[in-house]
Amino acid sequence: MDGNFNENDISRVVEADRAHIWHHLSQHKPYETTDPRIIVEGKGMRVWDQKGKEHLDAVSGGVWTVNVGYGRESIANAVRDQLIKLNYFAGSAGSIPGSHFAEKLIEKMPGMSRVYYCNSGSEANEKGFKMVRQIAHKRYGGKKHKVLYRDRDYHGTTISCLSAGGQDERNAQYGPFTEGFVRVPHCLEYRAFEQDGAPQENYGIWAADQIEKVILAEGPDTVGALCLEPVTAGGGVITPPDGYWQRVQEICRKYDVLLHIDEVVCGVGRTGTWFGYQHYGIEPDMVTMAKGVASGYAAIACLVTTEAVFDMFKDDASDPMNYFRDISTFGGCTAGPTAGIENMRIIEEENLLENTTLMGEYMLGQLGELADKHKVIGDVRGKGLFLGAELVEDRDSRAPVSEKLVQAVVGDCMTQGVIIGATNRSLPGKNNTLCFSPALIATKSDIDEIVTAVDNALGRVFASA
């Protein structure tokens, strides 16, 4: 990308976008008087817009997706070659890339054994919920059907996924919701003071015990699964407190509750391990993934289960209803697993898990130094290259700054040529966390540029706030 455009090169694209594209998460009224942003090209960590302006992307495509960076010709070439050979066949049959990628994926997930392909994180989670419901009917007379989900977690955009969504602004105006989904409290230690009875010590155990209380209140014989993110993403980049996950595992086993881990954001390297749950020594029954599986080079999502879950759907072959009666049309596309294989090869050969751990520690430290300088930063947290900085009016009350000011910081960074994220229309009154998820290829100089931009933005926005 040379950054040079002549107005006529792109004007028709901009006008077509303005006239016909319905952008995600966007209020379109401003586009009546200003141009929508068109991202034209990407290379490595950087993207260029229609005006030729270069941006350092600190959010991997805006939503935690482009894990290995832009412009990977080897992925594009692998997908092209596969599409010529076979682009698609329904998932009722197999494919060569589907088999190869499933084998490679399972090698990274000890204890798991079966891969169900689909095309989005929402769909993958929906499949998991349907399995829980079918198991309830097959084994428990339909009673053990409830799915527990956590405050601040997010699992997708379908009505049932929103029913399992702990972000009230995202859910607003989309009800009524699917019955049988029950919320449990969040585990954000920084805001433990807002939770009745939360202790100063052993908070992680206490937070997990609140899940047990919900199970007992609902009736253990009615609860089929618990669906959680290993690190909460859009709800504020929440890393679990000490002891939390181990206690969650104990509770699930005690009450025969399937543990469904949503790795749509954390999966495939984002936190420095192949999957976020692997930091905590837990053994899930189901794992869902999407975004980083192919770094956005093709649409792919997976629901991965243990063999024990899989076996529940083949225990009576004489019963015509006794299998998972489900299909995902685009789960039969071969581009996704092909891109996934090459994506995984790049992560391994370029040691990107190690880089993610090292650069994540470096960035966490740099953000910590920024917090020493700017009192508006109340808390810095994260895992690997998945980080957040929560902004507060003052550190004693921890009152969140307004979303308007948070977005002003994001906008200032954009003007500087650095794209960062923030919790956005998710939590009423608490959309106050800056979000960072640079590609796993990030270097110290990339991180320094991101942190410098945030430093400048905080100084300007809060100088007059």
Side-chain angles (χ1 to χ4, degrees):
M1 181 70 186
D2 58 15
N4 294 320
F5 277 106
N6 149 339
E7 184 179 354
N8 293 329
D9 291 337
I10 202 73
S11 61
R12 286 187 63 187
V13 173
V14 173
E15 289 310 311
D17 183 288
R18 193 197 316 275
H20 304 298
I21 299 297
W22 197 327
H23 288 279
H24 302 180
L25 295 173
S26 300
Q27 169 55 257
H28 283 64
K29 188 67 175 177
Y31 296 154
E32 293 178 3
T33 55
T34 61
D35 288 347
R37 178 174 284 106
I38 311 292
I39 300 299
V40 175
E41 189 173 346
K43 189 70 175 178
M45 291 274 294
R46 301 183 184 264
V47 296
W48 288 263
D49 66 19
Q50 74 265 34
K51 296 179 181 179
K53 182 173 180 178
E54 177 181 317
H55 296 82
L56 174 59
D57 179 6
V59 282
S60 295
V63 286
W64 308 298
T65 298
V66 190
N67 283 10
V68 299
Y70 298 97
R72 292 285 189 169
E73 290 187 26
S74 65
I75 302 180
N77 290 337
V79 170
R80 176 193 180 278
D81 291 346
Q82 177 58 47
L83 293 182
I84 292 170
K85 187 172 184 179
L86 178 71
N87 63 310
Y88 175 86
F89 197 88
S92 53
S95 72
I96 291 174
S99 295
H100 286 332
F101 181 63
E103 183 177 46
K104 291 179 180 296
L105 183 61
I106 292 303
E107 288 175 358
K108 312 299 183 190
M109 305 177 73
M112 311 303 288
S113 66
R114 296 286 175 167
V115 179
Y116 185 101
Y117 287 118
C118 47
N119 68 286
S120 72
S122 297
E123 191 183 13
N125 284 324
E126 189 89 24
K127 303 306 185 189
F129 300 155
K130 290 177 73 175
M131 286 185 181
V132 172
R133 293 288 169 89
Q134 192 172 344
I135 290 168
H137 284 283
K138 282 166 51 60
R139 297 200 164 197
Y140 305 103
K143 192 173 184 182
K144 201 173 176 65
H145 69 279
K146 294 178 185 175
V147 175
L148 306 187
Y149 66 94
R150 186 170 56 195
D151 185 33
R152 286 180 171 251
D153 277 11
Y154 175 75
H155 301 297
T157 63
T158 66
I159 293 298
S160 289
C161 286
L162 288 175
S163 303
Q167 299 179 5
D168 291 339
E169 283 191 346
R170 287 197 182 276
N171 293 6
Q173 302 177 357
Y174 294 122
F177 295 109
T178 307
E179 294 182 359
F181 290 85
V182 182
R183 188 176 299 199
V184 302
H186 68 71
C187 64
L188 175 53
E189 192 161 12
Y190 183 68
R191 297 209 163 268
F193 72 96
E194 298 174 346
Q195 296 175 300
D196 291 340
Q200 291 187 342
E201 296 183 359
N202 298 319
Y203 171 74
I205 301 296
W206 179 89
D209 284 344
Q210 304 317 295
I211 297 174
E212 183 176 32
K213 288 184 178 180
V214 173
I215 292 172
L216 292 172
E218 294 294 323
D221 59 338
T222 72
V223 178
L226 171 66
C227 182
L228 303 174
E229 294 180 90
V231 176
T232 298
V237 191
I238 302 169
T239 48
D242 291 344
Y244 180 80
W245 271 115
Q246 292 78 9
R247 180 68 182 127
V248 167
Q249 181 87 77
E250 292 173 2
I251 292 167
C252 287
R253 288 176 174 166
K254 180 178 180 180
Y255 297 106
D256 189 26
V257 171
L258 294 175
L259 182 55
H260 172 166
I261 304 296
D262 179 347
E263 292 271 358
V264 170
V265 173
C266 295
V268 195
R270 173 55 55 194
T271 66
T273 50
W274 283 108
F275 294 93
Y277 76 84
Q278 293 170 340
H279 289 286
Y280 307 109
I282 55 175
E283 298 175 352
D285 300 288
M286 300 179 178
V287 179
T288 48
M289 64 195 75
K291 299 183 185 293
V293 173
S295 288
Y297 285 84
I300 180 175
C302 307
L303 166 61
V304 180
T305 76
T306 61
E307 197 71 7
V309 170
F310 178 74
D311 282 346
M312 293 187 211
F313 294 89
K314 62 169 189 169
D315 53 351
D316 183 1
S318 66
D319 180 355
M321 301 290 281
N322 190 33
Y323 63 95
F324 188 46
R325 303 182 316 281
D326 191 273
I327 188 170
S328 169
T329 297
F330 294 115
C333 289
T334 61
T338 300
I341 292 168
E342 184 61 16
N343 186 67
M344 189 174 284
R345 183 196 66 78
I346 290 169
I347 292 172
E348 290 182 312
E349 292 192 3
E350 297 184 11
N351 297 314
L352 296 186
L353 297 183
E354 294 86 343
N355 188 67
T356 298
T357 298
L358 291 172
M359 292 302 100
E361 291 172 354
Y362 177 72
M363 188 168 183
L364 195 63
Q366 294 300 102
L367 290 173
E369 291 184 14
L370 212 57
D372 293 337
K373 181 177 179 180
H374 297 278
K375 292 182 180 180
V376 71
I377 298 179
D379 191 36
V380 172
R381 51 187 180 253
K383 200 79 170 172
L385 286 170
F386 184 26
L387 303 160
E390 183 167 348
L391 306 186
V392 295
E393 291 182 358
D394 68 83
R395 290 178 177 173
D396 291 332
S397 72
R398 302 187 182 183
V401 302
S402 72
E403 184 172 346
K404 182 177 180 180
L405 291 174
V406 176
Q407 290 301 322
V409 174
V410 174
D412 189 291
C413 287
M414 179 71 78
T415 300
Q416 296 177 68
V418 174
I419 305 172
I420 69 169
T423 46
N424 177 33
R425 305 300 194 279
S426 300
L427 309 164
K430 293 179 180 176
N431 294 311
N432 63 314
T433 302
L434 301 176
C435 301
F436 309 95
S437 53
L440 313 188
I441 61 173
T443 64
K444 283 187 176 181
S445 63
D446 293 323
I447 291 167
D448 289 342
E449 187 174 344
I450 296 165
V451 173
T452 297
V454 175
D455 184 11
N456 294 337
L458 291 173
R460 280 190 283 266
V461 169
F462 291 97
S464 57

